[in-house]
Amino acid sequence: MAALMAAEAAAPPGPTEAAETSETAEAAELSRVLSRLLPGLEADSKVGRRRALEALQRALEAAWPEAPDADPAAAAAATAAFQGPWARLLLPRLLYCLADPAEGCRALAAHLLDLGLRRAARPRDALPRLLPALAARLAGPESARGRPPEACEELRLALVQLLSLAVRLGGPALAPHLDDAVRVLRRTLLDPFAAVRRESCQCAAGLARATPDHFHMQSESLIGPLMQSISHQHWKVRVAVIEATGTVIQFGSSKSVDDVLPHFAQRLFDDVPQVRQAVTCVVGGWLLDLRDRYSFFHKLIPLLLSSLEDDIPEIALAAAGLWEKVGLQWQRENEDDLKDKLDFSTPPPAHHPSPETRPVLGCRELVFRNLSKILPAVCHDLTDWVVGTRLKAAQLLLVLLLHAEDHSTQHLDAVLRVLHRACADDDPAVVRSCTRSAELVGVFVSPEVFLKLILSMLKKSPSPSGLLVLASVIRGCPREALQPHLKVIAVELARPHICQGSENRLYGEHLLLCVRTLASVCQEDCRGCSLQLMEVLVTVMALSGATGLSDKVQETMDALAAVQDVDGSQDLYREHVGPLMEWVAASHHDWTIHSVELLQFNVVVTHAGPALGEVLPHLVPILRSCLQPARDPQMRLRLFSSLSRVLLSAKQTVDSQGQFHHYLNTVAKDILVPNLQWHAGKTAAAIRTAAVSCLWALLSSDVLSEKQIWEVQETLMLDILTTLEEDSQMTRLISCQIINKFLKTSSGVGDPDKFIKIYPELLKRLDDVSHEVRLAATSALVSWLACIQNDDGKSYYQSNIQFLYRELLVYLDDPEGAVQDAVLAREVVSSVHLRISIACGVVPTRGQCVHCPSSTFQTC
């Protein structure tokens, strides 16, 4: 036995014993080195302490293998040898140096602590000493100036990084020291240095992952500092805070979700895409992995769905991917409840806007089941005073309706009310999103349901936004579903309180939009309600005087004509002019200048074109009734203006059927004569001017034969002669032209007594202040002389011709050359020569009008 023992003692040591011996030797050597250097840390001089720390750094770096990765066994042996001297000698002294007055010494101490933790075999053993020391430097009492114990921000960053390293290396062993770590993070999360905040956020997330079983007890205390930093001016800090908050709540208490969501919602408006993407990813992660996610679905779903409409495609795609995962996961978790829907899945509606990208069943069910909780908040945000909030809410409502599909029917009243209000928004983007939402209502909801609600709102208070909602809903509705209700819609739009609801331009535009949308959706089905739609268009045209919608009305009318296969708006008028005339004339006995029906009548009269000739039995009685002297003067002026425009092109309007001559006597006697009578006042004078203009338009239109003009002359000549004395230059001028027209088309002098009364009135106009009137009067006198053709007439009117000649001689010396030329014109000279020769028995030659050698002629 003794020999055996001796042999064993003499035998060489095995590998294990050799490693232990080598490890012990390295530890002993390191201990001797550290023991020699550590006293320098207590030097009074900061230079001495710094040199000691630098020497320690060199010693530690020399003790560590140069390439530990190449030999794992050597690295393990080195860490094991380092553990003892590190924990026993170096760690306490370095922790003490963290409070050194010299900043450089504190920085070296922090670096050596980092180096030591990375190389120690059991870094968790350092936690009981390390965490309190870090808490003292980072979360201790502030100085009188409000500064933390560690004043240097770079050193605070190094210490927080040291804490992060301890969390990463310590793992679950950090649980007993959770209070110190949280206390440090509560302070550093609000550090003035942005880099410290970012590192603190990463440390908080690491702490949550390292201690999942205990972290929930402390997690709520970190939410306050995190939320104070979520609006930091540096976007990287905001991103770090959002990501850290996601992890803290994921491994901590779900009660904090309610405190965090308002801040996350605000970050969805962040100008930096990375911040919005961080919110999207965190919320998506919660919907997938949060323990109590079912309790927060109605709060988290709106945030994720809002990102589906983000301006950045990458964010929208990320949100879509996360949302699909959420839906599929919920679908798997609730497969038993969804068995029937999964086995007998319904295809998307025929008019689904994007059937190829229809959300999965789980997503649709999640929205449908939570819609009653989400919708009130969305409706509230749509009325917010901040434009960005309203826009996000409008985009979210669009996504919700796309998921809810026909289930949105039960919430339709609330949806339509908020759309009615939101479509009046000042921001075009909000209005666009709301109109798209209204289109989805038309796609998924029965017309019988939504029309009942929308038309009811329009009856109570017609508005541009209500009409826009109606137009948008109609645009989304399928043609076959809308066809049975087409007449109801058209009749409602044509009701006076809707089509005459406002003279506002926007109101008119949206009313036209309703008509255009009906025409584009229903196509030829609009034939059955074409009259009502024409009534709407006529009303908009009538009220568009100040808004300039005439061109848009014409475009809409052309579109309506196109879907009905008729050739333009003129054919539409031809088809409906009779009912339209009856429609506007129903109340013509009560019209005033302010009557909308008067404006509608003017539109029909001036735009019906050739169709007007078919409704003369309706048109003429209305004009006769409304143009009596007892009626509103301003209304009569407007009617005369419209009548003048029509009569200027009578062949294409009132006489398109060649029947106007049947009503000529009524127009002359019952319409023009009463309005040519003299009455005091400027308004009465304006009416006489308008009546004279109408007569001139009629005579200039070439629709009257000479016989018909003679009949008009017999009726109106005396009244026209009285208008030669009007104060209005235009009235006098037109009257001269009318008399000239009468005289040129007459075959003789007619009644001599009436004929003789004409030329004295015209002679008076030769002294008119207006040169145009004087020239027109001269031309009329020529026509008057031309009417005396036979010898009997020349003898009968001899004295009148002599008087006329004497008066004309005076105007050969007129200051105005134009008047002289008119008197000396060929027509005047030849006519006068002829008449004077007969009267005097002399035939003067041209040029002897003034200097005639005949005494008899001179006497004349």
Side-chain angles (χ1 to χ4, degrees), residues 410-672:
Q410 59 186 287
H411 307 285
L412 190 59
D413 187 28
V415 170
L416 289 178
R417 287 184 184 279
V418 75
L419 287 178
H420 184 277
R421 183 168 180 177
C423 282
D425 200 280
D426 295 333
D427 188 80
V430 175
V431 176
R432 282 196 299 270
S433 294
C434 290
T435 54
R436 290 172 60 193
S437 297
E439 289 178 20
L440 292 181
V441 171
V443 171
F444 298 123
V445 181
S446 168
E448 185 176 358
V449 178
F450 67 68
L451 284 177
K452 182 178 179 180
L453 296 172
I454 295 177
L455 295 180
S456 175
M457 287 190 292
L458 284 176
K459 287 179 182 178
K460 292 180 180 178
S461 58
S463 64
S465 59
L467 292 172
L468 181 58
V469 171
L470 177 61
S472 303
V473 172
I474 292 173
R475 189 184 301 113
C477 190
R479 175 181 175 182
E480 56 276 7
L482 192 62
Q483 196 276 334
H485 308 278
L486 185 57
K487 189 66 175 286
V488 175
I489 299 173
V491 169
E492 289 297 325
L493 290 177
R495 293 190 185 279
H497 73 281
I498 293 181
C499 66
Q500 302 176 19
S502 173
E503 295 184 17
N504 179 274
R505 178 184 176 87
L506 188 62
Y507 189 93
E509 288 180 348
H510 291 171
L511 196 55
L512 291 177
L513 181 61
C514 289
V515 178
R516 282 201 303 271
T517 306
L518 281 173
S520 63
V521 172
C522 298
Q523 299 293 318
E524 60 269 14
D525 294 341
C526 291
R527 288 183 181 276
C529 61
S530 180
L531 174 60
Q532 288 75 25
L533 297 181
M534 280 294 293
E535 292 176 359
V536 174
L537 295 178
V538 167
T539 303
V540 176
M541 177 79 81
L543 299 174
S544 66
T547 57
L549 289 177
S550 301
D551 293 340
K552 291 189 176 182
V553 174
Q554 190 60 48
E555 292 174 5
T556 306
M557 202 170 290
D558 293 338
L560 184 61
V563 299
Q564 297 185 53
D565 290 331
V566 296
D567 190 15
S569 59
Q570 293 297 318
D571 285 349
L572 279 179
Y573 276 110
R574 181 177 291 109
E575 183 177 347
H576 300 298
V577 68
L580 285 175
M581 196 63 72
E582 294 177 1
W583 167 62
V584 298
S587 61
H588 74 276
H589 295 291
D590 303 319
W591 285 358
T592 67
I593 186 61
H594 304 292
S595 300
V596 176
E597 293 79 6
L598 172 64
L599 302 177
Q600 295 168 333
F601 176 77
N602 282 337
V603 169
V604 174
V605 168
T606 55
H607 290 80
L612 205 58
E614 302 175 6
V615 290
L616 290 177
H618 298 288
L619 175 64
V620 175
I622 295 173
L623 291 174
R624 180 177 57 192
S625 173
C626 294
L627 289 173
Q628 295 306 305
R631 301 298 297 273
D632 181 17
Q634 297 297 330
M635 176 193 70
R636 289 154 59 201
L637 280 174
R638 179 163 293 183
L639 284 175
F640 271 126
S641 176
S642 301
L643 183 57
S644 298
R645 275 189 285 171
V646 170
L647 292 176
L648 281 173
S649 56
K651 288 184 178 179
Q652 291 78 39
T653 55
V654 291
D655 200 43
S656 62
Q657 307 299 316
Q659 301 298 312
F660 184 71
H661 63 277
H662 295 303
Y663 302 91
L664 185 59
N665 189 51
T666 302
V667 171
K669 288 185 177 180
D670 298 340
I671 295 178
L672 293 179

Side-chain angles (χ1 to χ4, degrees), residues 214-235:
H214 303 84
F215 185 73
H216 66 277
M217 295 183 292
Q218 297 283 348
S219 63
E220 293 183 49
S221 61
L222 292 178
I223 297 301
L226 284 169
M227 292 305 99
Q228 291 181 57
S229 296
I230 201 171
S231 57
H232 194 272
Q233 60 182 352
H234 292 184
W235 68 266

Side-chain angles (χ1 to χ4, degrees), residues 725-773:
E725 300 291 339
E726 289 287 340
D727 294 335
S728 170
Q729 173 189 332
M730 181 181 295
T731 306
R732 301 194 302 271
L733 175 61
I734 296 175
S735 298
C736 290
Q737 293 171 338
I738 291 173
I739 293 172
N740 191 17
K741 184 74 172 180
F742 282 158
L743 294 174
K744 283 183 176 180
T745 55
S746 60
S747 57
V749 297
D751 186 350
D753 294 335
K754 293 182 180 179
F755 185 72
I756 291 175
K757 293 179 180 179
I758 296 175
Y759 83 91
E761 299 299 330
L762 292 175
L763 274 175
K764 294 177 184 179
R765 292 304 102 212
L766 292 181
D767 293 324
D768 200 279
V769 296
S770 170
H771 300 309
E772 295 179 354
V773 174

